[in-house]
Amino acid sequence: MDGMGPHGTKVGLLRVLGPAHVWALGVGIVLVGEYMGWNFSVGKGGAYAALIACWFAGILYSCVAMIDSEVTSTVASAGGQYTQAKHIIGPLMAFNVGLYLVFAYTMLEAANAITAGYLFSVVASMTGHEGELDQRPFIILVIMFLAWLNYRGVLATLTFNLVITAVAFCAIIVLFLSTSGVLGGGIMDHANLFEGHELPYGWIGVLAAMHFGLWYYLGIEGTTQAAEEVRSPARALPFGTLAGIMTLLIAATLTWYVCSGILPWEYLGDGVDGAVAPLFDAARLSGSTGLVWLLGFGTLFATLASANGCINDASRAWFAMGRDKYLPGWFGAVHPRYRTPYRAIVFLVPIALIFALGAPLDQVITFSILSGLLGYTFMPLNIILFRRKWPLETIKRGYEHPFHPVPAITLLTLCGVTFFAVFLGYGTQLVAMIGFYIVVSLWFHFWRYRFVNRGAQFTMPWPKPRGY
C-alpha cells in the first residue's frame, strides 16, 4: 500500500534523481571499502595477494554492473534485484534476493557505524584523551541521524551523499599524489616492505584474500534501488552504475598502492591491533597535519556516505517486499509528505544498532559479504533467462551489456571461487547463513506466500515471454 496525500489521493515515491545521484549512491556505499575492511585481505595472503584479489573482484563487480545496468534500465521499480527476480524468475527467488539485499546493506551500515566510532576514539586519543571515549554513543548517533535524513526525503539524502562522496574520493587522490612523489618527496617503500613477503602463504593465500577483496566494491549494485526515484531510468541507471564501477576501480588500485607502500603488511592485515582505517593511518605516517585532517574527514565522510546509502537501499528493498505482500503490507507505506518508505526505514534501525553495538567488525563485514555474494550468484541465471524470454528485439533496453553470456559465466565462476575462499576462513558462518536462508524460504513457501497477490506480481508492460 502507498501513503495517502492531503486530498485522499495515493502517493508514491518521487522521481527527482539524476545520473549524479545514482553515481553518489553506488560509489557512496562502496567507497568506505577503500577506507576500511579491504585490508583484511592482506592478512589472509599478503600485500600482493590483496592486489590480485582487488583486480579479480573488480572483474566480478564489472560483470555485476553491466548485468544490472541492462536489467534495471528496463525493470525500473524500487527493490532492484528483488524486483528483477520477481519478474524474471519467480516469487521464491525474489523473496530470497530481497532478504540478501536487506541484510547486505544493513550489515554494511553497522560496519560503517563501528568505523565512525573508532575514528572518534582515535581523534580523542590524538588530543590526549586516550581510552576515555566511549564509542557507543557515536555509533548510535550516526545511525539515528542518517535514518532521520532518509526519513525526510531522498533528494536531500543523496545530494548529501554526492557532496561527501566526492570529498572522500578526492582525499584518496590527494594522498596518492602527496606520498608517491608526484607532489613533493615520496615516502613509499614497496621494495623493502615486500622483500621476502611477496606471497607469505603461497597461492592459497591469494584464494583466501578473495573473501575481503570484495570489500573494495561491495554495494555498487545498490544503484538499482533508485530505479523508481530517478527521472530517466533508461539513461541515469546505466550511466551512474558504470561510471561508479570505473571510479571504484581507480580508487581501489590507488588505495592498495598507497597503503602497501607505507604500512607493513603485518600491521595492514591486522584489523584488531593493526589498521582499522588504513588510509587514515597512512596519512598519519606522512608527517603532514593537513593530510591527517583531510583523510580523517575522508574516512568519516566515507562511512557516513556508505551508511546513508545503505539505509536508503535496505529500506527500498524492504518497502518493495511489503508493497507486494511478501512481508506484511504495513511496510509498504509511503510518507504522505516526504514521499519516503518511512516505516521500512524506522524498522531497520534497531537491527543495525544490535549488530553495530554487539558484533566484531570482521564478523559484520563477513555477514554483509556473504549476503551480497548470494545475491550475485543469482544474477547470471537472471540475465540468461531475461535474454531468453525477452530477446533484444522484443523490448527496449536503456543499455545492452556486451559479449553475452561471457559476463554471466565469468560472474558465476568468480562467485564460486569466492564462496570457497569464505569457507576457508569463515566456514561456520557460511553454513549458518545458508541454513538461515533455507529456514526463511520454507517459512515463505508454506506460510507467507498465501498472502501474496499473484495477479499483481508482473507490473512491467512487456510482451509475453518467448515460448509462452
Side-chain angles (χ1 to χ4, degrees), residues 52-68:
I52 296 169
C54 168
W55 286 343
F56 273 98
I59 295 171
L60 185 154
Y61 278 93
S62 296
C63 296
V64 167
M66 289 192 296
I67 291 171
D68 260 347

Side-chain angles (χ1 to χ4, degrees), residues 9-10 66 183 226 298 429 449:
T9 56
K10 292 182 70 176
M66 289 192 296
L183 298 178
Q429 290 88 332
Y449 187 55

Side-chain angles (χ1 to χ4, degrees), residues 167-188:
V167 172
F169 177 68
C170 289
I172 297 175
I173 302 293
V174 172
L175 181 63
F176 165 73
L177 295 175
S178 301
T179 57
S180 64
V182 176
L183 298 178
I187 63 170
M188 296 184 191

Side-chain angles (χ1 to χ4, degrees), residues 131-190:
E132 299 178 16
L133 185 71
D134 186 353
Q135 299 180 19
R136 291 173 295 181
F138 294 97
I139 291 173
I140 295 171
L141 182 63
V142 164
I143 292 176
M144 296 297 292
F145 167 71
L146 294 176
W148 171 81
L149 188 63
N150 274 269
Y151 187 100
R152 292 295 297 266
V154 68
L155 183 60
T157 297
L158 294 189
T159 300
F160 174 71
N161 250 40
L162 178 60
V163 173
I164 62 177
T165 299
V167 172
F169 177 68
C170 289
I172 297 175
I173 302 293
V174 172
L175 181 63
F176 165 73
L177 295 175
S178 301
T179 57
S180 64
V182 176
L183 298 178
I187 63 170
M188 296 184 191
D189 192 7
H190 292 91

Side-chain angles (χ1 to χ4, degrees), residues 32-90:
V32 71
E34 274 61 41
Y35 280 88
M36 65 90 175
W38 69 269
N39 51 303
F40 286 108
S41 63
V42 178
K44 292 290 184 181
Y48 276 133
L51 178 62
I52 296 169
C54 168
W55 286 343
F56 273 98
I59 295 171
L60 185 154
Y61 278 93
S62 296
C63 296
V64 167
M66 289 192 296
I67 291 171
D68 260 347
S69 293
E70 174 170 332
V71 184
T72 309
S73 68
T74 313
V75 186
S77 181
Q81 291 84 3
Y82 153 75
T83 306
Q84 296 175 21
K86 184 183 72 170
H87 283 84
I88 298 169
I89 300 179

Side-chain angles (χ1 to χ4, degrees), residues 124-340:
S125 66
M126 291 171 64
T127 55
H129 301 280
E130 187 169 357
E132 299 178 16
L133 185 71
D134 186 353
Q135 299 180 19
R136 291 173 295 181
F138 294 97
I139 291 173
I140 295 171
L141 182 63
V142 164
I143 292 176
M144 296 297 292
F145 167 71
L146 294 176
W148 171 81
L149 188 63
N150 274 269
Y151 187 100
R152 292 295 297 266
V154 68
L155 183 60
T157 297
L158 294 189
T159 300
F160 174 71
N161 250 40
L162 178 60
V163 173
I164 62 177
T165 299
V167 172
F169 177 68
C170 289
I172 297 175
I173 302 293
V174 172
L175 181 63
F176 165 73
L177 295 175
S178 301
T179 57
S180 64
V182 176
L183 298 178
I187 63 170
M188 296 184 191
D189 192 7
H190 292 91
N192 285 330
L193 289 173
F194 287 7
E195 187 177 1
H197 303 290
E198 288 79 4
L199 290 174
Y201 307 123
W203 287 100
I204 193 68
V206 175
L207 178 60
M210 273 296 291
H211 174 187
F212 290 105
L214 266 61
W215 202 246
Y216 285 107
Y217 314 96
L218 180 71
I220 184 62
E221 71 280 1
T223 55
T224 62
Q225 299 298 326
E228 203 167 314
E229 295 164 280
V230 292
R231 292 186 294 269
S232 175
R235 180 178 68 92
L237 290 169
F239 183 88
T241 303
L242 296 174
I245 190 62
M246 287 187 277
T247 303
L248 292 169
L249 287 166
I250 294 170
T253 304
L254 291 181
T255 296
W256 176 88
Y257 186 77
V258 170
C259 293
S260 64
I262 298 175
L263 302 169
W265 77 272
E266 298 93 340
Y267 174 83
L268 189 59
D270 185 352
V272 179
D273 299 316
V276 173
L279 282 169
F280 181 59
D281 287 343
R284 293 166 68 187
L285 289 178
S286 70
S288 168
T289 303
L291 280 179
V292 171
W293 280 102
L294 177 61
L295 270 297
F297 279 113
T299 305
L300 179 60
F301 286 172
T303 58
L304 292 177
S306 182
N308 195 35
C310 287
I311 294 172
N312 179 91
D313 286 355
S315 62
R316 266 60 182 180
W318 199 259
F319 155 78
M321 294 172 74
R323 184 171 60 180
D324 295 335
K325 302 298 192 299
Y326 283 56
L327 296 171
W330 185 83
F331 292 115
V334 175
H335 196 284
R337 178 181 176 185
Y338 302 124
R339 307 285 286 275
T340 55

